[in-house]
Amino acid sequence: MAFFMDAEVTLGRKLLEIFYILTGLITIYTGVKNAQDKENPSRAETAFFWIILGIVIAFGRWIPAKVTGVLVIVMCIPAILKKVSVGKHDKPQEAETKANFEKVGMKIFLPALSIGGFALIFAVFTDLGALVGLGVGVLVSAVLLCAFLKSNTPKVLLNDSERMLSTVGPLSMLPQLLACLGAVFTAAGVGDVIADIVGNIIPKGNVNLGIIIYAIGMVLFTMIMGNAFAAITVMTVGIGAPFVLAYGADPVLIGMVGLTCGYCGTLLTPMAANFNIVPIALLDMKNRFTVIKNQVVVAVIMLVFQICYMIAFK
């Protein structure tokens, strides 16, 4: 493809594009497989959803923005109508699972650890970025899984990826949509509106109160938007900059800890699909709020500590 020949495109950008294409192709495969599944009650609508999503993920960088927008809107129609269904899957039997665990043992955690480990290594020690490290970690984890068990062929990994996507369903695209929502909120001036409201509450120069409201605002907006990265832009423009940073607080400290305050909101909202909805879907839990209920106390303790930390070291 043309981008491989472009000398100005960085290595990190090239690798990211490759990873996006691979991810998109796996998503398209999910649609194709569902289209062939006669046991899926909504196989046409399900296939349509996954194929369109895969096209957007794989080739969205080269498709005109307006066309991509139309594709996303059209793609959401079967999801809104609840026509994206889970078809037939050949899940491993309990005996097979036990036998595989006896062969692999605790090494089974290495593939998962490699994903986070490579993301951290690439973020700290290279200029390629954490996303590239994440992609490399996924490839390394796939190689490890194939090395652990001969039965883990590339086709098995592909089918398992399709099974996970189908199980999670349309919620898999929620983080991306919520991140876009953060950009829309910022462009629409929501941060300025929040600044006007908070300006009538916080006395000028009261940095400590500004920190408290900023932290709580990060939690609330993350709960609404499902993504701390989407919330921090709006909250920093509306509260962090005018009521905390403007009075001499350390921007590095406030920004970093403020973001982790947002993660407390991630623990408390079903909008954070990857953290709170995906486990419920994969584990087939009956109560969709089970994970959140068990994280409330942890979130509150973390939030109080982070607020005290920012006030103490600002």
Side-chain angles (χ1 to χ4, degrees), residues 96-111:
E96 179 184 355
T97 302
K98 288 183 178 179
N100 289 339
F101 178 74
E102 290 177 358
K103 293 179 182 178
V104 178
M106 300 305 289
K107 291 187 295 183
I108 191 63
F109 291 104
L110 290 178

Side-chain angles (χ1 to χ4, degrees), residues 114-134:
S114 71
I115 297 175
F118 275 94
L120 181 63
I121 291 171
F122 273 66
V124 176
F125 299 106
T126 76
D127 294 328
L128 297 177
L131 280 177
V132 174
L134 192 68

Side-chain angles (χ1 to χ4, degrees), residues 4-15:
F4 285 113
M5 303 172 63
D6 188 353
E8 296 181 357
V9 178
T10 64
L11 176 60
R13 175 78 177 273
K14 290 180 182 179
L15 290 173

Side-chain angles (χ1 to χ4, degrees), residues 9-314:
V9 178
T10 64
L11 176 60
R13 175 78 177 273
K14 290 180 182 179
L15 290 173
L16 277 179
E17 288 174 344
I18 292 172
F19 294 146
Y20 283 133
I21 291 173
L22 291 175
T23 303
L25 292 177
I26 292 173
T27 308
I28 292 172
Y29 173 78
T30 301
V32 172
K33 191 172 181 182
N34 276 281
Q36 300 171 343
D37 185 1
K38 295 181 179 180
E39 295 188 23
N40 190 327
S42 305
R43 61 174 179 165
E45 297 91 335
T46 302
F48 177 81
F49 171 82
W50 289 116
I51 290 174
I52 297 299
L53 179 58
I55 291 173
V56 171
I57 293 174
F59 309 111
R61 289 146 202 77
W62 301 284
I63 299 175
K66 291 182 179 180
V67 176
T68 300
V70 171
L71 289 175
V72 171
I73 293 173
V74 173
M75 174 189 71
C76 290
I77 294 176
I80 293 172
L81 297 176
K82 297 182 179 181
K83 291 294 184 179
V84 181
S85 305
V86 180
K88 178 183 177 182
H89 289 110
D90 296 324
K91 297 181 180 179
Q93 300 298 317
E94 184 176 352
E96 179 184 355
T97 302
K98 288 183 178 179
N100 289 339
F101 178 74
E102 290 177 358
K103 293 179 182 178
V104 178
M106 300 305 289
K107 291 187 295 183
I108 191 63
F109 291 104
L110 290 178
L113 291 173
S114 71
I115 297 175
F118 275 94
L120 181 63
I121 291 171
F122 273 66
V124 176
F125 299 106
T126 76
D127 294 328
L128 297 177
L131 280 177
V132 174
L134 192 68
V136 172
V138 170
L139 295 178
V140 171
S141 67
V143 172
L144 289 174
L145 287 171
C146 293
F148 290 160
L149 289 173
K150 293 182 179 180
S151 58
N152 282 337
T153 62
K155 184 178 180 180
V156 169
L157 299 181
L158 183 61
N159 287 333
D160 279 349
S161 298
E162 180 273 325
R163 178 162 60 92
M164 187 190 74
L165 277 176
S166 295
T167 301
V168 176
L171 289 172
S172 59
M173 70 176 185
L174 189 58
Q176 291 86 347
L177 295 180
L178 291 172
C180 294
L181 181 62
V184 172
F185 274 23
T186 302
V190 175
D192 296 330
V193 174
I194 293 174
D196 292 337
I197 296 173
V198 175
N200 296 321
I201 301 174
I202 302 178
K204 290 186 177 180
N206 194 328
V207 182
N208 292 342
L209 184 57
I211 288 174
I212 294 172
I213 295 180
Y214 176 56
I216 295 175
M218 278 296 302
V219 173
L220 295 177
F221 256 72
T222 300
M223 291 176 67
I224 294 170
M225 305 173 77
N227 190 312
F229 289 102
I232 193 169
T233 303
V234 177
M235 285 292 99
T236 301
V237 170
I239 302 176
F243 301 104
V244 180
L245 303 180
Y247 296 103
D250 184 354
V252 176
L253 172 67
I254 298 300
M256 291 177 62
V257 182
L259 185 62
T260 59
C261 289
Y263 295 155
C264 296
T266 300
L267 297 175
L268 302 174
T269 176
M271 299 296 282
N274 285 347
F275 295 91
N276 303 327
I277 299 299
V278 171
I280 293 171
L282 294 178
L283 298 176
D284 196 23
M285 296 181 181
K286 295 181 179 180
N287 189 337
R288 65 191 186 96
F289 293 104
T290 298
V291 175
I292 294 175
K293 288 179 180 178
N294 285 280
Q295 294 175 161
V296 172
V297 175
V298 176
V300 172
I301 293 174
M302 288 176 60
L303 178 62
V304 172
F305 175 82
Q306 288 159 352
I307 290 175
C308 294
Y309 187 88
M310 284 192 287
I311 291 175
F313 298 99
K314 63 181 183 295

